[in-house]
Amino acid sequence: MRKNENLTVWIKRLIAEDKLDEFYTSRPWRKVRAESFKRFNYECQECKRNGRLTLLAKPNQRVKPGEVIGIGHHIKPLRVYPELALTVENIEPVCWSCHNEIEKKKENKETELTEEVW
């Protein structure tokens, strides 16, 4: 982040420059992601909604038997709501499998909305 640049402006710039990896490797993101994982007891929230228990490894720690690597998922998408980027209530831990399904559903929904309907 540049001097005197607020979070939302920084994220919008990263989106425009296709450099969001800078956000996802930043210290503030790693901190809020860890808070989210702790808040939800290191459980994939999408699995939980579907009646399954999937334990996630603690961020930046070795994966133990029975755990999977998870991701901090923005409930309201980062590209649409950059002002919520570090709002812990907008972040939930999900396993990679669930995250891929969530993104696939989102892409399908966006495709449906952009196709012409006659």
Side-chain angles (χ1 to χ4, degrees):
M1 193 161 24
R2 297 175 182 158
K3 275 187 176 181
N4 300 323
E5 185 176 40
N6 76 29
L7 177 70
T8 303
V9 171
W10 178 56
I11 292 173
K12 286 180 179 181
R13 180 174 56 79
L14 293 177
I15 291 168
E17 296 173 358
D18 197 28
K19 294 182 178 180
L20 270 178
D21 56 317
E22 287 182 33
F23 169 74
Y24 287 114
T25 57
S26 72
R27 182 172 284 158
W29 166 250
R30 291 191 318 261
K31 182 180 177 193
V32 77
R33 181 188 64 189
E35 287 175 31
S36 172
F37 274 52
K38 187 175 180 180
R39 179 177 180 226
F40 288 107
N41 299 313
Y42 305 94
E43 297 173 355
C44 171
Q45 295 305 292
E46 188 66 16
C47 284
K48 193 172 187 173
R49 282 189 282 277
N50 291 302
R52 298 184 308 269
L53 173 64
T54 302
L55 294 176
L56 304 173
K58 293 180 180 180
N60 303 319
Q61 290 192 352
R62 181 172 281 197
V63 179
K64 296 176 185 168
E67 294 178 334
V68 297
I69 295 177
I71 184 171
H73 172 68
H74 285 95
I75 299 164
K76 291 187 177 185
L78 179 66
R79 292 176 184 273
V80 180
Y81 299 94
E83 66 278 7
L84 299 177
L86 297 175
T87 303
V88 74
E89 293 82 12
N90 188 46
I91 300 160
E92 65 181 1
V94 296
C95 65
W96 274 102
S97 177
C98 285
H99 189 263
N100 291 340
E101 285 298 314
I102 291 167
E103 292 301 314
K104 189 188 313 181
K105 286 177 188 175
K106 186 171 70 174
E107 286 175 19
N108 289 342
K109 190 178 274 188
E110 288 171 359
T111 302
E112 289 173 13
L113 293 174
T114 58
E115 290 180 6
E116 285 191 72
V117 180
W118 295 94

